[in-house]
């Protein structure tokens, strides 16, 4: 929601009441869109912060719960602006110009100058707000579906242009938004000045309902009326218990109740709902510092989640801070570094025990180097008694191939790496060779056909449970593998070759 001050019953029934329910079913993010407020109110930002706090207090008073959902302020999460800028590079102008609300709003708010770049771009800022959290659903009313459709188009374009799957295409979660009449019978809206505040003092709210229009019904109280044509009748439909709504309907049609008591009943129904919300708001207002702190805390939590997405986005657009690829480019003449991965950022591994280093390298390889379209799962969920055991647990590829991943460092820096493999049947070996000096890691993915025969021979000649020793060594510009000192196989071409894992 944009921070435009206190909320009214229309805002509550149209969105907030649904959100309060959704937080029990989903992991939700709700925010106060203060940057969006600036797209139309840029000329006078004096009330933005006050209004932001106001909306936050209304959220919390209405039942949004920071223990269940993340509730934050948009401008406290700068990733929204960064993503907006990046998506702006690849979004065609026509997509923004044809968003239906763009023209509509320009006409509705003709008193404001809306010929600014920010206003044209607000649907893209919305798309960024959404995609940053990689959500499954966006809970909106019917009038907002065009924005979600644009979001989906932007996500699709980004994914296909950069051959990635960073963004999901979120679905609309249509939420019920009953028509709440304003005190003059038109739709409740701030711009009509006909609102009843969500946290308005119950006495003031009741007085407003008492003076509500009856839409021309029952000018003489002896006349029968049609409650479907009276805004008070509509209030009953939304806020009264079914038996009270039915009773007032009957009484109106039979002219057996007075409008005054019908309105009193309606006021009673509204205040039964808003009374506790009003009290909670009063309580929160007395602890404004705590509430603000909570919002800042929650904004930091949102920023941490948003940053995860941005890391992936920056990587895709070649904007990440990792210098690896560039360093390798400049070091291309050094054959060791061709296709090798940079480990500079992980210098602290070298102080770890070797087994732990091996485990961490394996995890690093799986989460950072493995292409996204390769799916490896752990064969079992057993909790391993020892690290050794864990290291031997193979992965399974999507096609259920058993993949053994192991690491070796060239201790003597003599271009030779010594691996050990349990004498078991794995369909693919992944050998991670790495070198401390120069900080690089190289991966070879080796299908069974390269080692089946010498491996079977070695198994026979070794004792039960003895591991099979392998050596990888550099020979000129070739990389050779030999199993248990047997004949060498050329594995140069298998460098970073992930095909056997697919
Ligand atoms: S009785 Fe109630 S619903 Fe009927 S006209 Fe009067 S205020 Fe409206």
């Amino acid at each position: 929601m944009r921070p435009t001050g206190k909320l009214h019953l229309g805002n509550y029934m149209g969105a907030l009441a649904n959100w309060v329910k959704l937080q029990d079913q989903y992991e939700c993010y709700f925010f106060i869109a203060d940057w969006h407020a600036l797209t139309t109110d840029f000329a006078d930002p004096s009330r933005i912060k006050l209004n932001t706090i106001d909306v936050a207090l209304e959220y919390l008073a209405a039942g949004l719960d920071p223990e269940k959902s993340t509730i934050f302020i948009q401008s406290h999460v700068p990733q929204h602006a960064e993503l907006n800028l990046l998506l702006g590079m690849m979004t065609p102008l026509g997509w923004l110009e044809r968003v239906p609300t763009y023209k509509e709003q320009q006409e509705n708010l003709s008193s404001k100058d809306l010929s600014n770049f920010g206003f044209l771009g607000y649907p893209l800022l919305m798309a960024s707000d959404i995609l940053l959290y990689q959500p499954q659903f966006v809970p909106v009313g019917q009038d907002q579906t065009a924005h979600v459709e644009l979001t989906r188009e932007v996500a699709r374009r980004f994914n296909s242009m950069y051959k990635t799957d960073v963004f999901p295409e979120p679905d609309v979660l249509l939420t019920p938004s009953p028509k709440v009449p304003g005190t003059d019978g038109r739709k409740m809206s701030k711009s009509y000045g006909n609102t009843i505040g969500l946290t308005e003092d119950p006495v003031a709210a009741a007085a407003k309902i008492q003076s509500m229009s009856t839409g021309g019904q029952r000018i003489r109280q002896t006349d029968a009326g049609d409650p479907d044509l009276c805004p008070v009748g509509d209030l009953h439909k939304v806020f009264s218990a079914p038996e009270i709504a039915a009773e007032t309907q009957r009484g109106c049609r039979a002219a057996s109740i007075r409008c005054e008591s019908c309105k009193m009943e309606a006021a009673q129904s509204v205040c039964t709902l808003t009374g506790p919300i009003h009290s909670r708001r009063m309580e929160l207002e007395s602890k404004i510092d705590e509430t603000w702190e909570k919002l800042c805390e929650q904004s930091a939590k949102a920023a941490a989640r948003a940053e995860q997405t941005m890391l992936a986005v920056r990587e895709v657009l070649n904007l990440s801070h990792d210098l690896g690829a560039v360093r390798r480019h400049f070091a291309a003449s050094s054959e060791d570094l061709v296709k090798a991965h940079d480990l500079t950022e992980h210098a602290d591994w070298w102080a770890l025990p070797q087994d732990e280093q091996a485990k961490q390298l394996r995890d690093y390889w799986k989460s950072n180097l493995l292409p996204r379209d390769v799916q490896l799962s752990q064969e079992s969920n057993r909790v391993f008694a020892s690290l050794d055991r864990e290291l031997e647990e193979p992965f399974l590829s999507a096609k259920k191939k058993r993949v053994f991943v192991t690491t070796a460092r060239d201790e003597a820096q003599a271009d030779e790496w010594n691996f050990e493999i349990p004498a078991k049947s794995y369909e693919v070996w992944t050998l991670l060779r790495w070198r401390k000096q120069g900080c690089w890691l190289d991966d070879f993915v080796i299908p069974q056909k390269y080692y089946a025969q010498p491996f079977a021979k070695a198994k026979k000649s070794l004792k039960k449970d003895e591991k099979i020793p392998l050596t990888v060594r550099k020979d000129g510009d070739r990389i050779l593998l030999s199993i248990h000192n047997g004949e060498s196989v050329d594995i140069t071409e298998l460098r970073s070759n992930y095909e056997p894992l697919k």
Side-chain angles (χ1 to χ4, degrees):
M1 281 187 194
R2 287 155 50 103
T4 46
K6 289 186 178 158
L7 305 182
H8 55 69
L9 290 179
N11 305 133
Y12 176 72
M13 294 309 293
L16 196 47
N18 296 313
W19 297 356
V20 172
K21 289 183 200 139
L22 289 175
Q23 58 180 351
D24 289 321
Q25 299 164 40
Y26 299 94
E27 181 195 347
C28 298
Y29 288 81
F30 300 111
F31 68 98
I32 300 146
D34 51 353
W35 275 334
H36 279 282
L38 281 176
T39 59
T40 53
D41 297 344
F42 56 89
D44 178 15
S46 58
R47 290 192 62 84
I48 297 248
K49 192 181 285 176
L50 196 60
N51 286 349
T52 298
I53 297 260
D54 247 336
V55 174
L57 292 174
E58 305 276 278
Y59 277 7
L60 298 172
L64 287 190
D65 181 354
E67 299 297 320
K68 295 178 181 171
S69 304
T70 309
I71 303 158
F72 64 97
I73 299 170
Q74 184 188 28
S75 67
H76 289 207
V77 183
Q79 286 87 348
H80 287 245
E82 185 184 359
L83 184 59
N84 182 45
L85 178 125
L86 296 176
L87 294 179
M89 304 298 174
M90 43 134 284
T91 303
L93 214 46
W95 287 13
L96 299 172
E97 284 162 342
R98 68 163 202 250
V99 170
T101 47
Y102 176 60
K103 287 245 151 56
E104 247 172 65
Q105 290 265 54
Q106 263 188 333
E107 282 158 21
N108 289 347
L109 301 173
S110 52
S111 58
K112 288 187 177 165
D113 174 13
L114 294 182
S115 53
N116 52 325
F117 171 61
F119 183 66
L120 173 66
Y122 90 84
L124 190 65
L125 181 56
M126 271 187 180
S128 312
D129 298 334
I130 295 170
L131 294 174
L132 206 43
Y133 300 92
Q134 299 172 308
Q136 218 178 335
F137 297 111
V138 193
V140 290
Q142 190 66 45
D143 55 335
Q144 293 279 322
T145 52
H147 292 130
V148 181
E149 195 39 57
L150 175 78
T151 304
R152 291 168 58 85
E153 276 179 280
V154 169
R156 208 173 306 143
R157 185 173 169 91
F158 184 95
N159 289 345
S160 87
M161 187 173 275
Y162 305 117
K163 300 192 177 36
T164 178
D165 57 0
V166 170
F167 295 123
E169 285 182 39
D171 282 319
V172 160
L173 188 67
L174 272 184
T175 52
S177 37
K179 181 188 157 220
V180 178
T183 48
D184 59 358
R186 289 185 290 176
K187 187 180 171 208
M188 190 176 284
S189 160
K190 238 179 210 160
S191 45
Y192 297 144
N194 64 358
T195 60
I196 300 169
L198 173 64
T199 52
E200 194 161 335
D201 176 65
V203 177
K208 279 188 181 171
I209 295 172
Q210 278 300 340
S211 62
M212 256 175 97
S213 139
T214 60
Q217 298 296 299
R218 303 194 60 199
I219 298 190
R220 282 177 307 186
Q221 290 293 287
T222 46
D223 292 344
D226 183 349
D228 291 337
L229 301 177
C230 170
V232 183
D234 287 336
L235 270 192
H236 276 295
K237 281 180 212 152
V238 180
F239 295 103
S240 292
E243 55 290 359
I244 295 176
E247 205 181 298
T248 49
Q249 285 245 338
R250 265 195 309 275
C252 178
R253 290 183 203 281
S256 62
I257 52 164
R258 296 186 61 77
C259 287
E260 199 189 342
S261 50
C262 175
K263 288 176 179 177
M264 213 180 302
E265 288 276 15
Q268 182 68 42
S269 302
V270 167
C271 293
T272 304
L273 174 81
T274 60
I277 302 179
H278 171 258
S279 318
R280 271 200 298 275
R281 159 123 197 171
M282 293 284 103
E283 201 188 316
L284 288 164
E285 277 184 17
S286 68
K287 301 188 278 196
I288 203 73
D289 283 330
E290 268 170 57
T291 310
W292 182 249
E293 227 168 79
K294 188 58 117 188
L295 283 172
C296 294
E297 223 173 74
Q298 293 265 301
S299 300
K301 191 173 152 206
R305 175 61 190 84
E307 183 61 13
Q308 279 177 26
T309 308
M310 287 316 297
L311 285 174
V313 169
R314 290 185 209 118
E315 189 66 40
V316 166
L317 296 177
N318 254 314
L319 299 170
S320 73
H321 291 192
D322 172 24
L323 195 61
V326 174
R327 195 180 287 134
R328 283 193 292 282
H329 171 81
F330 286 109
S333 57
S334 157
E335 64 181 78
D336 266 349
L337 294 178
V338 177
K339 274 196 170 185
H341 307 282
D342 188 8
L343 289 179
T344 322
E345 305 299 323
H346 301 277
D348 48 349
W349 282 349
W350 302 322
L352 296 172
Q354 204 156 348
D355 274 355
E356 182 59 24
Q357 275 177 339
K359 180 182 176 305
Q360 294 211 7
L361 267 183
R362 205 171 72 134
D363 290 345
Y364 173 82
W365 173 78
K366 184 162 175 270
S367 53
N368 293 292
L369 304 184
L370 207 54
R372 281 174 206 281
D373 54 343
V374 174
Q375 313 251 324
L376 288 189
S377 58
Q378 203 80 43
E379 190 172 39
S380 80
N381 290 322
R382 264 176 297 152
V383 175
F384 298 104
S386 74
L387 191 62
D388 258 9
R389 187 73 196 84
E390 198 275 343
L391 284 170
E392 287 179 14
E393 183 67 2
F395 291 107
L396 280 189
S397 72
K399 291 186 181 152
K400 302 284 174 228
K401 285 185 193 162
R402 301 181 80 233
V403 182
F404 186 75
V405 185
T406 185
T407 79
R409 188 170 87 180
D410 67 333
E411 296 298 337
Q413 292 178 19
D415 288 334
E416 193 169 292
W417 290 263
N418 296 311
F419 295 86
E420 281 190 325
I421 296 217
K424 292 181 183 158
S425 62
Y426 305 112
E427 281 141 300
V428 182
W429 290 344
T430 299
L431 305 181
L432 307 178
R433 63 166 190 159
W434 62 293
R435 175 173 279 172
K436 181 173 169 178
Q437 197 186 25
C439 313
W440 56 260
L441 170 72
D442 221 359
D443 49 354
F444 295 87
V445 180
I446 305 176
Q448 212 170 25
K449 64 178 181 196
Y450 280 78
Y451 58 79
Q453 278 186 0
F455 191 66
K457 215 165 119 191
K459 254 160 80 171
K460 276 186 202 153
S461 67
L462 290 167
K463 286 193 208 111
K464 195 171 172 274
D465 290 339
E466 208 169 345
K467 289 187 179 169
I468 314 251
L470 319 177
T471 307
V472 167
R473 75 188 155 77
K474 204 165 105 173
D475 181 17
D477 56 356
R478 314 305 294 164
I479 308 292
L480 305 176
L481 164 74
S482 71
I483 297 167
H484 197 206
N485 296 326
E487 222 170 283
S488 295
V489 191
D490 188 335
I491 58 166
T492 320
E493 299 305 320
L494 302 179
R495 236 174 181 174
S496 297
N497 165 33
Y498 302 108
E499 287 313 309
L501 301 178
K502 288 182 185 166

